[in-house]
Amino acid sequence: MVREVSESCVDSLLTEMVACYCNRFYANKPELAARRIEAIGYQVGHQLSERYTMERPRFTDHLEAIKFICKDFWSELFKKQIDNLKTNHRGTFVLQDNKFRWLARMSIDPSTDNVSPLEDITSPTAESKAAQAMSMHLYFPCGIIRGALSNLGIPCAVSADISNLPACSFVVRIKA
Amino acid sequence: MQFFGVSEISPSPPAPTASGNNGHMMYVFNRNGVCLLYREWNRPLRTLDAQQDHKLMFGLLFSLKSLTAKMDPTSAVEKGNLGMLQLPGQGCSFHSFCTNTYKLSFMESPSGIKIILVTHPRTGDLRESLKYIYNLYVEYVVKNPLYTPGSPIRCELFNTTLDQYVRGIA
């Protein structure tokens, strides 16, 4: 029997985890908070890839492992596959999810009343605060991808781009 | 519950159109009476400033809830004094009232979130619509990681989805 957990429960847990690390544990150290969140993601990805590759033969090359992440792994996590995969054939892969579940409900009001009276909407502080809050939620999935690939013998660095929400692109750079 | 005004002074608005656009305004209050959201689609005449308007609306709801519970002929439970605080779901509660110029529909969630939708007087029963709006609130506000509970709602996704839905109410 498949073990299941409520999606809302996982969503709330993720939100609360990010909030705790950013606003409580490391309120004045966003870089440290980001590292911690990514490290948790790494552990989760590491364990999940172990579980989801149990019945599989070993991957022969990087592309095969990345395809596994895009199809089977992503389907287990988000009930859908990665929508688009690009590569430069030199160790960089871009995985694009056109409607990333963990960003689907994330929104802020671009109107001026979202900003305190002393803060101009065009100022970098207002923009960057919102961007930073959003990016904090991406360290966890980046960590998951890095952990999964690391467990498959592929050391890499993973970053995310959210220039057009709710789409999200994960850039995987494999270390030589 | 229906209140009827004198038609010469305040004539009824034209019948609702099939295309919708019957929503006038909407309020969302939390259990502490804080107005989390005020949305307006059709309100040509404004006589109060925003804060007074919100206070008046919350006061009206508080009084009506208390009154309807006190008047309930079916309940044998000791009702206490008029104006006593009613817990969400306690006693009977009204879901709408209608005047000759507008209809006010109301719903309260178990957590004390109050949704008030003011529409054209000939709009039908909106209880299901309010449930759907509450569902939108849960999906796009409560589950939005950037939203701080208890603060005014400033979620673009929620606003656009809400506008789209309310414009479709016939």
Side-chain angles (χ1 to χ4, degrees):
Chain A
M1 195 182 89
V2 180
R3 290 189 297 171
E4 291 182 346
V5 66
S6 160
E7 283 185 343
S8 296
C9 179
V10 174
D11 290 346
S12 300
L13 186 63
L14 174 60
T15 301
E16 201 51 41
M17 177 186 74
V18 174
C20 276
Y21 274 93
C22 295
N23 307 331
R24 218 174 298 166
F25 304 151
Y26 303 106
N28 303 316
K29 298 173 185 169
E31 306 85 12
L32 198 52
R35 285 223 309 268
R36 287 282 185 270
I37 293 164
E38 204 270 352
I40 295 169
Y42 178 89
Q43 290 295 336
V44 171
H46 201 275
Q47 290 167 19
L48 289 178
S49 70
E50 191 68 63
R51 191 170 147 195
Y52 299 147
T53 54
M54 266 193 322
E55 313 290 315
R56 287 179 154 272
R58 287 194 63 146
F59 298 109
T60 51
D61 60 357
H62 293 345
L63 184 60
E64 214 177 304
I66 295 281
K67 278 183 178 173
F68 160 75
I69 296 291
C70 293
K71 291 180 179 177
D72 302 31
F73 190 79
W74 217 251
S75 297
E76 288 285 355
L77 256 68
F78 302 111
K79 297 197 182 84
K80 72 186 283 287
Q81 295 182 4
I82 282 282
D83 297 297
N84 200 349
L85 171 64
K86 291 175 189 164
T87 179
N88 64 355
H89 299 287
R90 289 197 300 276
T92 301
F93 296 87
V94 179
L95 290 67
Q96 189 179 327
D97 189 331
N98 292 337
K99 198 178 180 193
F100 186 46
R101 262 206 84 241
W102 290 342
L103 291 180
R105 297 183 186 90
M106 208 176 279
S107 75
I108 45 166
D109 195 341
S111 68
T112 45
D113 47 334
N114 194 35
V115 184
S116 67
L118 302 171
E119 218 173 276
D120 176 23
I121 187 71
T122 54
S123 74
T125 44
E127 287 286 317
S128 60
K129 267 183 193 171
Q132 190 184 41
M134 282 191 183
S135 66
M136 278 297 177
H137 286 83
L138 292 169
Y139 286 107
F140 186 66
C142 284
I144 287 178
I145 295 170
R146 188 172 74 86
L149 287 170
S150 169
N151 193 37
L152 300 176
I154 304 169
C156 61
V158 183
S159 58
D161 170 51
I162 46 163
S163 41
N164 51 335
L165 281 167
C168 183
S169 298
F170 296 95
V171 182
V172 178
R173 291 182 184 87
I174 294 169
K175 290 173 183 172
Chain B
M1 179 159 50
Q2 292 201 319
F3 306 130
F4 293 102
V6 185
S7 55
E8 290 88 56
I9 298 168
S10 181
S12 293
T17 55
S19 61
N21 284 358
N22 298 312
H24 295 339
M25 60 248 198
M26 190 180 111
Y27 302 80
V28 177
F29 291 98
N30 69 7
R31 68 188 316 148
N32 303 321
V34 177
C35 186
L36 302 180
L37 179 82
Y38 171 70
R39 218 70 186 127
E40 197 174 279
W41 296 278
N42 175 26
R43 191 179 187 179
L45 186 66
R46 193 184 280 100
T47 52
L48 300 163
D49 71 75
Q51 218 170 359
Q52 274 184 309
D53 183 41
H54 299 162
K55 268 186 191 170
L56 197 67
M57 180 56 74
F58 190 79
L60 170 72
L61 295 171
F62 184 90
S63 305
L64 276 175
K65 268 190 73 184
S66 177
L67 178 71
T68 48
K70 186 75 177 165
M71 284 175 64
D72 182 5
T74 61
S75 174
V77 184
E78 178 53 46
K79 296 188 184 83
N81 296 326
L82 187 63
M84 254 181 75
L85 182 67
Q86 293 278 317
L87 293 172
Q90 189 183 14
C92 79
S93 181
F94 82 101
H95 52 80
S96 68
F97 72 74
C98 196
T99 74
N100 62 322
T101 57
Y102 68 89
K103 177 178 181 172
L104 184 146
S105 303
F106 167 77
M107 111 161 233
E108 183 173 23
S109 78
S111 60
I113 293 290
K114 296 170 180 67
I115 299 175
I116 300 100
L117 185 59
V118 179
T119 57
H120 190 283
R122 289 194 219 169
T123 318
D125 188 348
L126 293 178
R127 274 179 282 188
E128 287 305 312
S129 298
L130 289 175
K131 275 184 196 164
Y132 182 78
I133 290 169
Y134 178 65
N135 192 49
L136 291 181
Y137 164 78
V138 170
E139 286 300 311
Y140 292 109
V141 179
V142 177
K143 290 185 181 180
N144 179 1
L146 303 182
Y147 174 70
T148 310
S151 64
I153 297 166
R154 302 198 201 286
C155 304
E156 192 186 8
L157 263 176
F158 175 69
N159 288 341
T160 49
T161 317
L162 177 69
D163 285 356
Q164 225 174 345
Y165 180 69
V166 172
R167 287 208 175 97
I169 290 175

Coordinates of all heavy atoms in Angstrom, one line a residue, chain A residues 8 15 104-109 113-114 133-134 137, chain B residues 138-140 143-146 154-159:
Chain A
S8 N -1.4 19.6 1.9 CA -1.5 20.9 2.6 C -0.5 20.8 3.8 O 0.0 21.8 4.2 CB -2.9 21.1 3.1 OG -3.8 21.2 2.1
T15 N 6.5 26.0 4.6 CA 6.4 27.4 4.8 C 6.9 27.7 6.2 O 7.6 28.7 6.4 CB 4.9 27.8 4.7 OG1 4.4 27.5 3.4 CG2 4.7 29.3 5.0
A104 N 3.1 28.0 -6.7 CA 1.8 28.3 -7.3 C 1.0 29.3 -6.6 O 0.2 30.1 -7.2 CB 1.1 27.0 -7.6
R105 N 1.1 29.3 -5.3 CA 0.2 30.2 -4.5 C 0.9 31.4 -4.0 O 0.4 32.2 -3.2 CB -0.4 29.5 -3.3 CG -1.3 28.3 -3.7 CD -1.9 27.7 -2.5 NE -2.7 26.5 -2.9 CZ -2.2 25.3 -2.9 NH1 -0.9 25.1 -2.7 NH2 -2.9 24.2 -3.2
M106 N 2.2 31.6 -4.4 CA 3.0 32.7 -3.9 C 2.7 33.9 -4.7 O 2.9 33.9 -5.9 CB 4.4 32.3 -3.9 CG 5.3 33.0 -2.9 SD 7.0 32.5 -2.9 CE 6.9 31.0 -2.0
S107 N 2.2 35.0 -4.0 CA 2.0 36.2 -4.7 C 2.1 37.4 -3.7 O 1.8 37.3 -2.5 CB 0.7 36.2 -5.4 OG -0.4 36.4 -4.5
I108 N 2.5 38.5 -4.3 CA 2.5 39.8 -3.5 C 1.8 40.8 -4.3 O 1.7 40.7 -5.5 CB 3.9 40.3 -3.1 CG1 4.8 40.2 -4.4 CG2 4.5 39.5 -2.0 CD1 6.1 40.9 -4.2
D109 N 1.3 41.8 -3.7 CA 0.6 42.9 -4.4 C 1.6 43.9 -4.9 O 2.3 44.5 -4.0 CB -0.5 43.5 -3.5 CG -1.5 44.3 -4.2 OD1 -1.2 44.7 -5.4 OD2 -2.5 44.6 -3.7
D113 N 0.5 50.3 -1.8 CA 0.1 50.2 -0.4 C 0.7 48.9 0.2 O 0.5 48.6 1.4 CB -1.4 50.3 -0.2 CG -2.2 49.4 -1.2 OD1 -1.6 49.1 -2.3 OD2 -3.3 49.0 -0.9
N114 N 1.5 48.2 -0.6 CA 2.1 47.0 0.0 C 3.4 47.4 0.7 O 4.0 46.6 1.4 CB 2.5 46.0 -1.1 CG 2.9 44.7 -0.6 OD1 2.3 44.2 0.4 ND2 3.8 44.0 -1.3
A133 N 12.4 37.0 0.1 CA 11.4 36.1 0.7 C 11.0 34.9 -0.2 O 10.9 33.8 0.2 CB 10.2 36.9 1.1
M134 N 10.9 35.2 -1.5 CA 10.5 34.2 -2.5 C 11.7 33.2 -2.6 O 11.5 32.0 -2.6 CB 10.2 34.8 -3.8 CG 8.8 35.3 -3.8 SD 8.3 35.7 -5.5 CE 6.7 36.4 -5.2
H137 N 12.3 30.3 -0.3 CA 11.5 29.1 -0.5 C 12.1 28.2 -1.6 O 11.6 27.0 -1.7 CB 10.1 29.4 -0.8 CG 9.3 29.9 0.4 ND1 9.4 31.2 0.8 CD2 8.6 29.3 1.3 CE1 8.7 31.4 1.9 NE2 8.2 30.2 2.2
Chain B
V138 N -8.6 30.4 1.5 CA -7.7 29.3 2.0 C -6.6 29.0 1.0 O -5.4 28.9 1.4 CB -8.5 28.0 2.4 CG1 -7.6 26.9 2.7 CG2 -9.5 28.3 3.5
E139 N -6.9 28.8 -0.2 CA -5.9 28.4 -1.2 C -4.9 29.5 -1.5 O -3.7 29.2 -1.6 CB -6.7 28.0 -2.6 CG -7.4 26.7 -2.5 CD -6.4 25.5 -2.2 OE1 -5.4 25.4 -2.9 OE2 -6.7 24.8 -1.3
Y140 N -5.4 30.7 -1.7 CA -4.5 31.8 -2.2 C -3.9 32.7 -1.1 O -3.0 33.5 -1.3 CB -5.1 32.6 -3.2 CG -5.4 31.9 -4.5 CD1 -6.7 31.5 -4.9 CD2 -4.3 31.5 -5.3 CE1 -6.9 30.8 -6.1 CE2 -4.5 30.8 -6.5 CZ -5.8 30.4 -6.9 OH -6.0 29.7 -8.0
K143 N -2.5 29.7 2.3 CA -1.4 28.9 1.8 C -0.3 29.7 1.1 O 0.6 29.1 0.6 CB -2.0 27.8 0.9 CG -2.8 26.7 1.6 CD -3.2 25.6 0.6 CE -4.0 24.6 1.3 NZ -4.4 23.5 0.4
N144 N -0.4 31.0 1.1 CA 0.6 31.8 0.5 C 1.7 32.0 1.5 O 1.5 32.6 2.5 CB 0.0 33.2 0.1 CG 1.0 34.1 -0.5 OD1 2.2 33.7 -0.7 ND2 0.6 35.3 -0.9
P145 N 2.9 31.5 1.2 CA 4.0 31.6 2.2 C 4.4 33.0 2.6 O 5.0 33.2 3.6 CB 5.2 30.8 1.6 CG 4.6 30.0 0.5 CD 3.3 30.7 0.0
L146 N 4.1 33.9 1.7 CA 4.5 35.3 2.0 C 3.4 36.1 2.8 O 3.6 37.3 3.1 CB 4.7 36.1 0.6 CG 5.8 35.4 -0.3 CD1 6.0 36.3 -1.5 CD2 7.1 35.3 0.4
R154 N -2.9 41.2 0.8 CA -2.4 41.9 -0.3 C -1.8 40.8 -1.3 O -0.6 40.9 -1.6 CB -1.3 42.9 0.1 CG -1.7 43.9 1.0 CD -0.8 45.1 1.0 NE -0.8 45.9 2.2 CZ -1.8 46.7 2.5 NH1 -2.8 46.9 1.7 NH2 -1.8 47.4 3.6
C155 N -2.6 39.9 -1.7 CA -2.1 38.8 -2.6 C -2.8 39.0 -4.0 O -4.0 38.9 -4.1 CB -2.5 37.5 -2.0 SG -1.9 37.2 -0.4
E156 N -1.9 39.3 -4.9 CA -2.4 39.6 -6.3 C -3.2 38.5 -6.9 O -4.2 38.7 -7.5 CB -1.2 40.0 -7.1 CG -1.6 40.6 -8.5 CD -0.4 40.7 -9.4 OE1 0.7 40.3 -9.1 OE2 -0.6 41.4 -10.4
L157 N -2.7 37.2 -6.6 CA -3.4 36.1 -7.2 C -4.8 35.9 -6.6 O -5.7 35.6 -7.4 CB -2.6 34.8 -6.8 CG -1.6 34.2 -7.8 CD1 -0.9 33.0 -7.2 CD2 -2.4 33.8 -9.1
F158 N -4.9 36.2 -5.3 CA -6.3 36.1 -4.7 C -7.2 37.2 -5.3 O -8.3 36.9 -5.6 CB -6.1 36.3 -3.2 CG -7.5 36.3 -2.5 CD1 -8.3 35.2 -2.4 CD2 -7.9 37.5 -1.9 CE1 -9.5 35.3 -1.7 CE2 -9.1 37.6 -1.2 CZ -9.9 36.5 -1.1
N159 N -6.7 38.4 -5.4 CA -7.5 39.5 -5.9 C -8.0 39.3 -7.3 O -9.1 39.5 -7.6 CB -6.7 40.8 -5.8 CG -6.5 41.3 -4.4 OD1 -7.2 40.9 -3.5 ND2 -5.5 42.2 -4.2

